[in-house]
C-alpha cells in the first residue's frame, strides 16, 4: 500500500483526484491538504510516497511549496508532480522542474497520464531509496576502512620512525664516534672503520654545505632537525639518497658525543619522485597541448584550473579572466541537470549542452566529468573535459534538415523516386512512384529492382550508380523499360544516385515516364521527314526552273545585244530606248534567277565556301570602282574610307564580293540623293566593312525581317522599288558561310547602315578607329 498527499486550495479538485486514485488504486491511502502550509506539515509528519501539488494557490503557490519540500531532509526525496491549468508554458515547466519537481501535468488531468506518471514516480522512489541504502552501507564501509587505514598508518609511522636505519653519533668536530651495525653494513663498512671518520667526507661534495648547516643547527638549538634528501657515499664509491634527522645531545644522554644522526635510505623514493615529476611534466605538457578543454571547478562552478585549449575555447585570455565570474553566471551554463546527474551517478559521460563564451558567442559542447571528493567523501571538485562539437551538431542539424527537405521534395516531385537497399530490394518510394508503378506499402516492400526496372539486377543497379558518381561530368540519365506491378510496361528516363548515409537506402532511382514524349518524338520525326522531303523537292524545282530560265535568257540577251550592234546606224532614238529597256529587264531577270539558284544551293547544302586568304581592302576598292557607273546614273557620290592596312581575311572571294555588291546595289536603289559612305578597318581584332546611305531607311517593325527571303517592306503592284527581296537574304547566308556576321542599323527616312564583320588573320592589339583616306567620286 502507498500513501499519497494531494495539496490543492479547491476542495472539488481534491475530491476529483481522490476519485481517480481510488478508482485505479483502491488499496492506497490518499491524504489531502488545502494549503501549502498544511501540505508541508503533513508531508513532514506523515512522509507520503508521492505528492500531487497544485501550482495556483493563495498565500504560498506550488513553486514555493515544492522548493521548501525539496530543501527539507525529511521530504527532499519524495517525488512531486505539479498540477496546473494556467502555467502550461515551457518557461513555467522549466521553472517547476528547477524547483525540484519530478513531473508536470496540465489540467484537466488525463487519468491515464496521471496514473502512468504516478507509477513511474513510485518506481523512481523505490530505486532511489535502494540507492540511498546502498550509499549509506558504502559510506559505513568507507568509514570503517578509513579507521583501519588510519590505525595502520600510525603503526606504519611508528615502524618507520624506529625501523633499522643508519645511526651515527658525532663529536664536536663532526667526527663519527659510533655507528650501528645495520648502518655500517648498509654502507659496506665494519663499525670500527667508521669510527673517527669525518662525517662530511661521506657526503657528496654538492650536498656538504646543506648537511653541515643541519648538524650545526641541531647542535646549537638543541631540537631535532629534518633535512631535504642528500647523497651519501658507500665504501665502493656509489651514492644513495638519504634523509637526515639530527637530535641534540640532551636528547641522547651521551656525554662523549653532542649529536645523533639518523639517516634513512630514500633512494627509491627519490627515484619515484623523479619519475613522478617527469610524469607531471609530461601530463602538464599533454594538458597544455590537448585540443580538448580540461578543467577543475568547485561545486558552485568556480573554475580553479583550465588548460590553454579551454581558455581558447571560451575566448578567455587567461585563467584570471575566466575566474572573474563563475561558469553558470558568466557563460549562461545551466547546471541543474548536470548537478542532478552528478549527484546520482557521480559522473557524467557524453553530456551535450550549449554554453556562451566570454565574447558572447555560443558553442555546442560535449562534457565528461567526475567527482573529486574530500576526506569526508563530500564533493570537493568536479574534474572534466569540454569538447567543442559545434561543427558536429551543425552537420547533424544540416543532415536532418537535408533529409527533411529531401522527403518533402520527394513527396512533391512529379517524378517517381524509388529507394533500394544494397541487395536491390525496394525500401521507400514517393507518392508519384506509388501512382506510376501501382505500389502498395504492405504488398511491395522489398520488391526486387529487376521486377520494376527491366533487366536491371542489384549488381547492375549499384554499378551504374557508382559509374554515375565517378563520372559526374557525363549525363546521369539512362533510358530503360520499366514494369508496373500489374505487368504493364512503359519507357522511362532513369537517373541513379548512390547514397552513403540515408537510413538503409543505398541507391535512389528517379524515374520519369516518357511515353508521351516518345509519341511526340515519333510524330516530330515523321513531320521532319515530310518537311525535309518537301524542302528537297522545292529546292530541286527552283534549281531546275532557274536553270531552264537562265539558259534561254542568256541567248536572248546575247542576240539582243548583237542585233542592237548590227542595227546601230539605222535605229531611231525611240528604238534605242526600246533596246535599252529589253537589256535592263533581261539583266534584272537574270540577276533574280541567279539569286534564286544560289539560295536554293545554300538551302540544299550544295553550295560550300572555298576559303583562301585575300585582302578585303582591295575587294572593297574594286567593287567601288565597278559601281561608279551606277552611282553616276543615280546622281550619287561614294566616299571610301579604308585604313592603311591590307585587312587580310580567309574566306570565299566570290561570296564576299557578291555580298558587298548586293549591299551596295541596295544602298543605290533606295537612295535618291547625297552620298554613300564605305568604311573598312579593324575594330577589336575584327575586320569591319560598313555601307551607310541616306535613303528611305527601314521601319522598326520590318527590321527583324530584313534578311528574310522574298520579304520587302513595300508590297503589291504599286510598290516603288522593284525586286524579290533576295539580295540581303543571300548576303546574310554568304557571310555566315564564311564565319562572319552582318549587322544593320536603320531609321525610317534617315537611311541605313549595313556592317560586315569577319575575323582578322593578323594580331590587332588595340582598338582601331577607322581613319583612312577619303576618296569622293
Amino acid at each position: 500500500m502507498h500513501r499519497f498527499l494531494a495539496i490543492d486550495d479547491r476542495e472539488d479538485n481534491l475530491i476529483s483526484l481522490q476519485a481517480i486514485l481510488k478508482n485505479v488504486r483502491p488499496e492506497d491511502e490518499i491524504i489531502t491538504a488545502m494549503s501549502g502550509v498544511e501540505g508541508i506539515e503533513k508531508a513532514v509528519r506523515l512522509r507520503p510516497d508521492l505528492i500531487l501539488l497544485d501550482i495556483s494557490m493563495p498565500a504560498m503557490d506550488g513553486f514555493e511549496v515544492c522548493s521548501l519540500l525539496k530543501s527539507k531532509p525529511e521530504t527532499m526525496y519524495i517525488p512531486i508532480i505539479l498540477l496546473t491549468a494556467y502555467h502550461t508554458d515551457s518557461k513555467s515547466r522549466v521553472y517547476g522542474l528547477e524547483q525540484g519537481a519530478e513531473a508536470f501535468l496540465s489540467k484537466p488531468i488525463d487519468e491515464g497520464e496521471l496514473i502512468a506518471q504516478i507509477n513511474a514516480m513510485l518506481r523512481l522512489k523505490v530505486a532511489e531509496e535502494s540507492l540511498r541504502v546502498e550509499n549509506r552501507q558504502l559510506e559505513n564501509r568507507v568509514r570503517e576502512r578509513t579507521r583501519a587505514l588510519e590505525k595502520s598508518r600510525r603503526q606504519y609511522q611508528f615502524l618507520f620512525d624506529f625501523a633499522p636505519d643508519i645511526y651515527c653519533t658525532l663529536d664536536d668536530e663532526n667526527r663519527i664516534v659510533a655507528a650501528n651495525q645495520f648502518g655500517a653494513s648498509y654502507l659496506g663498512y665494519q663499525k670500527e672503520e667508521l669510527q673517527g671518520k669525518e662525517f662530511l667526507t661521506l657526503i657528496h661534495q654538492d650536498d656538504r654545505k646543506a648537511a653541515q648547516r643541519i648538524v650545526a643547527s641541531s647542535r646549537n638549538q638543541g631540537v631535532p632537525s629534518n633535512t631535504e634528501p642528500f647523497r651519501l657515499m658507500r665504501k665502493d664509491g656509489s651514492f644513495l639518497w638519504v634523509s637526515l634527522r639530527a637530535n641534540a645531545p640532551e636528547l641522547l644522554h651521551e656525554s662523549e658525543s653532542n649529536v645523533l644522526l639518523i639517516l634513512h635510505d630514500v633512494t627509491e623514493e627519490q627515484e619515484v619522485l623523479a619519475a613522478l615529476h617527469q610524469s607531471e611534466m609530461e601530463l602538464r605538457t599533454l594538458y597544455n597541448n590537448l585540443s580538448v578543454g580540461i578543467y577543475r571547478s568547485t561545486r558552485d562552478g568556480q573554475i580553479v584550473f583550465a588548460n590553454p585549449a579551454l581558455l581558447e575555447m571560451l575566448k578567455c585570455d587567461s585563467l584570471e579572466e575566466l575566474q572573474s565570474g563563475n561558469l553558470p553566471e558568466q557563460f549562461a551554463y545551466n547546471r541543474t541537470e548536470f548537478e542532478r546527474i552528478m549527484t546520482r551517478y557521480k559522473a557524467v559521460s557524453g553530456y551535450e549542452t550549449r554554453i556562451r563564451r566570454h565574447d558572447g558567442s555560443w558553442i555546442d559542447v560535449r562534457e565528461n566529468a567526475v567527482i573529486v571528493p574530500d576526506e569526508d567523501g563530500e564533493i570537493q571538485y568536479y574534474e572534466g573535459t569540454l569538447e567543442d562539437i559545434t561543427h558536429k551538431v551543425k552537420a547533424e542539424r544540416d543532415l536532418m534538415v537535408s533529409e527533411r527537405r529531401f522527403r518533402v521534395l520527394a513527396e512533391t516531385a512529379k517524378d517517381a523516386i524509388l529507394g533500394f537497399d544494397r541487395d536491390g530490394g525496394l525500401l521507400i518510394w514517393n507518392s508519384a512512384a506509388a501512382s506510376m508503378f501501382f505500389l502498395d506499402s504492405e504488398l511491395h516492400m522489398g520488391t526486387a529492382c529487376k521486377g520494376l526496372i527491366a533487366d536491371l539486377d542489384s549488381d547492375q543497379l549499384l554499378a551504374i550508380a557508382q559509374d554515375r558518381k565517378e563520372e559526374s561530368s557525363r549525363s546521369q540519365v539512362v533510358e530503360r523499360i520499366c514494369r508496373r506491378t500489374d505487368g504493364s510496361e512503359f519507357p522511362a528516363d532513369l537517373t541513379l544516385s548512390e547514397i552513403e548515409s540515408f537510413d538503409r537506402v543505398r541507391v535512389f532511382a528517379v524515374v520519369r515516364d516518357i511515353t508521351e514524349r516518345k509519341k511526340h518524338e515519333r510524330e516530330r520525326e515523321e513531320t521532319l521527314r515530310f518537311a525535309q522531303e518537301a524542302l528537297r523537292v522545292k529546292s530541286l524545282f527552283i534549281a531546275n526552273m532557274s536553270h531552264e530560265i537562265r539558259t534561254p535568257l542568256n541567248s536572248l540577251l546575247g542576240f539582243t545585244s548583237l542585233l542592237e550592234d548590227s542595227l546601230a546606224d539605222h535605229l531611231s532614238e525611240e528604238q534605242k530606248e526600246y533596246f535599252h529597256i529589253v537589256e535592263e529587264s533581261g539583266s534584272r531577270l537574270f540577276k533574280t534567277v541567279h539569286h534564286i539558284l544560289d539560295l536554293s544551293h545554300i538551302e540544299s547544302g550544295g553550295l560550300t565556301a572555298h576559303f583562301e586568304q585575300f585582302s578585303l581592302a582591295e575587294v572593297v576598292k574594286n567593287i567601288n570602282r565597278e559601281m561608279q557607273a551606277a552611282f553616276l546614273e543615280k546622281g550619287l557620290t561614294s566616299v571610301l574610307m579604308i585604313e592603311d592596312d591590307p585587312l587580310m581575311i580567309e574566306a570565299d572571294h566570290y561570296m564576299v564580293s557578291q555580298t558587298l555588291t548586293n549591299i551596295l546595289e541596295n544602298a543605290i536603289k533606295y537612295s535618291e540623293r547625297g552620298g554613300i559612305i564605305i568604311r573598312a578597318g579593324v575594330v577589336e581584332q575584327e575586320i569591319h566593312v560598313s555601307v551607310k546611305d541616306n535613303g528611305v531607311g527601314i521601319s522598326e517593325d520590318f527590321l527583324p525581317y530584313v534578311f528574310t527571303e522574298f520579304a520587302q517592306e513595300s508590297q503589291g503592284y504599286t510598290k516603288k522599288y522593284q525586286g524579290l527581296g533576295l539580295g540581303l537574304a543571300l548576303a546574310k547566308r554568304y557571310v555566315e558561310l564564311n564565319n562572319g556576321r552582318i549587322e544593320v542599323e536603320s531609321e525610317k527616312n534617315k537611311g541605313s547602315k549595313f556592317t560586315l564583320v569577319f575575323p582578322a588573320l593578323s594580331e590587332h592589339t588595340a582598338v582601331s578607329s577607322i581613319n583612312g583616306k577619303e576618296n569622293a567620286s
Side-chain angles (χ1 to χ4, degrees), residues 11-28:
E11 187 176 1
D12 54 342
N13 287 343
L14 294 174
I15 293 172
S16 175
L17 276 174
Q18 284 181 313
I20 293 174
L21 295 174
K22 280 296 183 183
N23 181 47
V24 180
R25 306 180 68 91
E27 73 283 358
D28 293 337

PDB file of all heavy atoms in Angstrom, residues 11-28:
ATOM      1  N   GLU A  11     -11.543  22.318  -2.957  1.00  0.00           N
ATOM      2  CA  GLU A  11     -11.990  21.022  -2.465  1.00  0.00           C
ATOM      3  C   GLU A  11     -12.464  20.132  -3.607  1.00  0.00           C
ATOM      4  O   GLU A  11     -12.255  18.914  -3.571  1.00  0.00           O
ATOM      5  CB  GLU A  11     -13.126  21.231  -1.441  1.00  0.00           C
ATOM      6  CG  GLU A  11     -13.549  19.912  -0.741  1.00  0.00           C
ATOM      7  CD  GLU A  11     -14.594  20.164   0.339  1.00  0.00           C
ATOM      8  OE1 GLU A  11     -14.988  21.331   0.509  1.00  0.00           O
ATOM      9  OE2 GLU A  11     -14.977  19.213   1.006  1.00  0.00           O
ATOM     10  N   ASP A  12     -13.122  20.735  -4.637  1.00  0.00           N
ATOM     11  CA  ASP A  12     -13.634  19.910  -5.740  1.00  0.00           C
ATOM     12  C   ASP A  12     -12.486  19.235  -6.490  1.00  0.00           C
ATOM     13  O   ASP A  12     -12.623  18.102  -6.951  1.00  0.00           O
ATOM     14  CB  ASP A  12     -14.470  20.748  -6.684  1.00  0.00           C
ATOM     15  CG  ASP A  12     -13.724  21.963  -7.177  1.00  0.00           C
ATOM     16  OD1 ASP A  12     -12.707  22.336  -6.544  1.00  0.00           O
ATOM     17  OD2 ASP A  12     -14.145  22.519  -8.198  1.00  0.00           O
ATOM     18  N   ASN A  13     -11.359  19.937  -6.597  1.00  0.00           N
ATOM     19  CA  ASN A  13     -10.200  19.311  -7.252  1.00  0.00           C
ATOM     20  C   ASN A  13      -9.681  18.135  -6.434  1.00  0.00           C
ATOM     21  O   ASN A  13      -9.304  17.088  -6.978  1.00  0.00           O
ATOM     22  CB  ASN A  13      -9.077  20.325  -7.430  1.00  0.00           C
ATOM     23  CG  ASN A  13      -9.395  21.330  -8.518  1.00  0.00           C
ATOM     24  OD1 ASN A  13     -10.284  21.091  -9.343  1.00  0.00           O
ATOM     25  ND2 ASN A  13      -8.706  22.462  -8.521  1.00  0.00           N
ATOM     26  N   LEU A  14      -9.645  18.298  -5.101  1.00  0.00           N
ATOM     27  CA  LEU A  14      -9.179  17.204  -4.235  1.00  0.00           C
ATOM     28  C   LEU A  14     -10.120  16.003  -4.325  1.00  0.00           C
ATOM     29  O   LEU A  14      -9.679  14.853  -4.377  1.00  0.00           O
ATOM     30  CB  LEU A  14      -9.066  17.697  -2.784  1.00  0.00           C
ATOM     31  CG  LEU A  14      -7.992  18.756  -2.535  1.00  0.00           C
ATOM     32  CD1 LEU A  14      -8.085  19.266  -1.101  1.00  0.00           C
ATOM     33  CD2 LEU A  14      -6.610  18.193  -2.797  1.00  0.00           C
ATOM     34  N   ILE A  15     -11.418  16.290  -4.351  1.00  0.00           N
ATOM     35  CA  ILE A  15     -12.398  15.187  -4.466  1.00  0.00           C
ATOM     36  C   ILE A  15     -12.198  14.459  -5.792  1.00  0.00           C
ATOM     37  O   ILE A  15     -12.240  13.225  -5.848  1.00  0.00           O
ATOM     38  CB  ILE A  15     -13.829  15.746  -4.332  1.00  0.00           C
ATOM     39  CG1 ILE A  15     -14.047  16.281  -2.913  1.00  0.00           C
ATOM     40  CG2 ILE A  15     -14.860  14.663  -4.662  1.00  0.00           C
ATOM     41  CD1 ILE A  15     -15.351  17.013  -2.734  1.00  0.00           C
ATOM     42  N   SER A  16     -11.999  15.221  -6.866  1.00  0.00           N
ATOM     43  CA  SER A  16     -11.801  14.605  -8.178  1.00  0.00           C
ATOM     44  C   SER A  16     -10.547  13.728  -8.189  1.00  0.00           C
ATOM     45  O   SER A  16     -10.564  12.607  -8.697  1.00  0.00           O
ATOM     46  CB  SER A  16     -11.670  15.693  -9.238  1.00  0.00           C
ATOM     47  OG  SER A  16     -11.378  15.130 -10.481  1.00  0.00           O
ATOM     48  N   LEU A  17      -9.427  14.229  -7.587  1.00  0.00           N
ATOM     49  CA  LEU A  17      -8.201  13.432  -7.522  1.00  0.00           C
ATOM     50  C   LEU A  17      -8.412  12.168  -6.714  1.00  0.00           C
ATOM     51  O   LEU A  17      -7.955  11.078  -7.074  1.00  0.00           O
ATOM     52  CB  LEU A  17      -7.078  14.261  -6.901  1.00  0.00           C
ATOM     53  CG  LEU A  17      -6.307  15.177  -7.835  1.00  0.00           C
ATOM     54  CD1 LEU A  17      -5.330  16.030  -7.041  1.00  0.00           C
ATOM     55  CD2 LEU A  17      -5.542  14.359  -8.864  1.00  0.00           C
ATOM     56  N   GLN A  18      -9.101  12.312  -5.561  1.00  0.00           N
ATOM     57  CA  GLN A  18      -9.363  11.135  -4.735  1.00  0.00           C
ATOM     58  C   GLN A  18     -10.154  10.092  -5.512  1.00  0.00           C
ATOM     59  O   GLN A  18      -9.882   8.881  -5.432  1.00  0.00           O
ATOM     60  CB  GLN A  18     -10.126  11.549  -3.465  1.00  0.00           C
ATOM     61  CG  GLN A  18      -9.253  12.224  -2.395  1.00  0.00           C
ATOM     62  CD  GLN A  18     -10.040  12.599  -1.165  1.00  0.00           C
ATOM     63  OE1 GLN A  18     -11.118  13.180  -1.269  1.00  0.00           O
ATOM     64  NE2 GLN A  18      -9.513  12.266  -0.006  1.00  0.00           N
ATOM     65  N   ALA A  19     -11.147  10.555  -6.273  1.00  0.00           N
ATOM     66  CA  ALA A  19     -11.988   9.620  -7.029  1.00  0.00           C
ATOM     67  C   ALA A  19     -11.158   8.878  -8.074  1.00  0.00           C
ATOM     68  O   ALA A  19     -11.290   7.660  -8.237  1.00  0.00           O
ATOM     69  CB  ALA A  19     -13.143  10.381  -7.698  1.00  0.00           C
ATOM     70  N   ILE A  20     -10.301   9.617  -8.762  1.00  0.00           N
ATOM     71  CA  ILE A  20      -9.468   8.967  -9.796  1.00  0.00           C
ATOM     72  C   ILE A  20      -8.539   7.931  -9.177  1.00  0.00           C
ATOM     73  O   ILE A  20      -8.424   6.796  -9.646  1.00  0.00           O
ATOM     74  CB  ILE A  20      -8.666  10.038 -10.552  1.00  0.00           C
ATOM     75  CG1 ILE A  20      -9.596  10.927 -11.370  1.00  0.00           C
ATOM     76  CG2 ILE A  20      -7.639   9.392 -11.475  1.00  0.00           C
ATOM     77  CD1 ILE A  20      -8.897  12.104 -12.026  1.00  0.00           C
ATOM     78  N   LEU A  21      -7.877   8.317  -8.069  1.00  0.00           N
ATOM     79  CA  LEU A  21      -6.904   7.419  -7.459  1.00  0.00           C
ATOM     80  C   LEU A  21      -7.579   6.228  -6.824  1.00  0.00           C
ATOM     81  O   LEU A  21      -7.084   5.096  -6.909  1.00  0.00           O
ATOM     82  CB  LEU A  21      -6.069   8.183  -6.420  1.00  0.00           C
ATOM     83  CG  LEU A  21      -5.172   9.296  -6.998  1.00  0.00           C
ATOM     84  CD1 LEU A  21      -4.508  10.064  -5.868  1.00  0.00           C
ATOM     85  CD2 LEU A  21      -4.121   8.694  -7.901  1.00  0.00           C
ATOM     86  N   LYS A  22      -8.701   6.426  -6.157  1.00  0.00           N
ATOM     87  CA  LYS A  22      -9.414   5.306  -5.530  1.00  0.00           C
ATOM     88  C   LYS A  22      -9.942   4.331  -6.573  1.00  0.00           C
ATOM     89  O   LYS A  22     -10.015   3.128  -6.334  1.00  0.00           O
ATOM     90  CB  LYS A  22     -10.576   5.848  -4.681  1.00  0.00           C
ATOM     91  CG  LYS A  22     -10.159   6.382  -3.307  1.00  0.00           C
ATOM     92  CD  LYS A  22      -9.583   5.257  -2.440  1.00  0.00           C
ATOM     93  CE  LYS A  22      -9.222   5.751  -1.044  1.00  0.00           C
ATOM     94  NZ  LYS A  22      -8.598   4.665  -0.237  1.00  0.00           N
ATOM     95  N   ASN A  23     -10.308   4.872  -7.730  1.00  0.00           N
ATOM     96  CA  ASN A  23     -10.843   4.016  -8.783  1.00  0.00           C
ATOM     97  C   ASN A  23      -9.766   3.084  -9.329  1.00  0.00           C
ATOM     98  O   ASN A  23     -10.051   1.935  -9.659  1.00  0.00           O
ATOM     99  CB  ASN A  23     -11.395   4.885  -9.913  1.00  0.00           C
ATOM    100  CG  ASN A  23     -11.999   4.048 -11.029  1.00  0.00           C
ATOM    101  OD1 ASN A  23     -12.763   3.122 -10.779  1.00  0.00           O
ATOM    102  ND2 ASN A  23     -11.663   4.377 -12.264  1.00  0.00           N
ATOM    103  N   VAL A  24      -8.538   3.580  -9.439  1.00  0.00           N
ATOM    104  CA  VAL A  24      -7.468   2.774 -10.031  1.00  0.00           C
ATOM    105  C   VAL A  24      -6.620   2.075  -8.967  1.00  0.00           C
ATOM    106  O   VAL A  24      -6.170   0.944  -9.154  1.00  0.00           O
ATOM    107  CB  VAL A  24      -6.573   3.675 -10.916  1.00  0.00           C
ATOM    108  CG1 VAL A  24      -5.460   2.869 -11.553  1.00  0.00           C
ATOM    109  CG2 VAL A  24      -7.400   4.357 -12.000  1.00  0.00           C
ATOM    110  N   ARG A  25      -6.406   2.731  -7.834  1.00  0.00           N
ATOM    111  CA  ARG A  25      -5.550   2.193  -6.770  1.00  0.00           C
ATOM    112  C   ARG A  25      -6.325   2.193  -5.468  1.00  0.00           C
ATOM    113  O   ARG A  25      -6.098   3.011  -4.556  1.00  0.00           O
ATOM    114  CB  ARG A  25      -4.278   3.028  -6.638  1.00  0.00           C
ATOM    115  CG  ARG A  25      -3.478   3.190  -7.943  1.00  0.00           C
ATOM    116  CD  ARG A  25      -2.236   4.021  -7.738  1.00  0.00           C
ATOM    117  NE  ARG A  25      -1.266   3.346  -6.903  1.00  0.00           N
ATOM    118  CZ  ARG A  25      -0.293   2.550  -7.349  1.00  0.00           C
ATOM    119  NH1 ARG A  25      -0.163   2.341  -8.623  1.00  0.00           N
ATOM    120  NH2 ARG A  25       0.543   1.977  -6.499  1.00  0.00           N
ATOM    121  N   PRO A  26      -7.321   1.311  -5.333  1.00  0.00           N
ATOM    122  CA  PRO A  26      -8.207   1.322  -4.145  1.00  0.00           C
ATOM    123  C   PRO A  26      -7.459   0.986  -2.859  1.00  0.00           C
ATOM    124  O   PRO A  26      -7.904   1.350  -1.771  1.00  0.00           O
ATOM    125  CB  PRO A  26      -9.254   0.260  -4.485  1.00  0.00           C
ATOM    126  CG  PRO A  26      -8.602  -0.617  -5.500  1.00  0.00           C
ATOM    127  CD  PRO A  26      -7.713   0.271  -6.288  1.00  0.00           C
ATOM    128  N   GLU A  27      -6.344   0.276  -2.939  1.00  0.00           N
ATOM    129  CA  GLU A  27      -5.635  -0.132  -1.727  1.00  0.00           C
ATOM    130  C   GLU A  27      -4.757   0.985  -1.164  1.00  0.00           C
ATOM    131  O   GLU A  27      -4.254   0.877  -0.043  1.00  0.00           O
ATOM    132  CB  GLU A  27      -4.763  -1.364  -2.025  1.00  0.00           C
ATOM    133  CG  GLU A  27      -3.513  -1.102  -2.865  1.00  0.00           C
ATOM    134  CD  GLU A  27      -3.820  -0.918  -4.341  1.00  0.00           C
ATOM    135  OE1 GLU A  27      -5.021  -1.034  -4.718  1.00  0.00           O
ATOM    136  OE2 GLU A  27      -2.887  -0.672  -5.115  1.00  0.00           O
ATOM    137  N   ASP A  28      -4.546   2.074  -1.922  1.00  0.00           N
ATOM    138  CA  ASP A  28      -3.662   3.147  -1.474  1.00  0.00           C
ATOM    139  C   ASP A  28      -4.422   4.173  -0.621  1.00  0.00           C
ATOM    140  O   ASP A  28      -5.647   4.366  -0.762  1.00  0.00           O
ATOM    141  CB  ASP A  28      -3.040   3.849  -2.669  1.00  0.00           C
ATOM    142  CG  ASP A  28      -2.092   2.941  -3.427  1.00  0.00           C
ATOM    143  OD1 ASP A  28      -1.585   1.973  -2.821  1.00  0.00           O
ATOM    144  OD2 ASP A  28      -1.856   3.211  -4.618  1.00  0.00           O
TER     145      ASP A  28
END
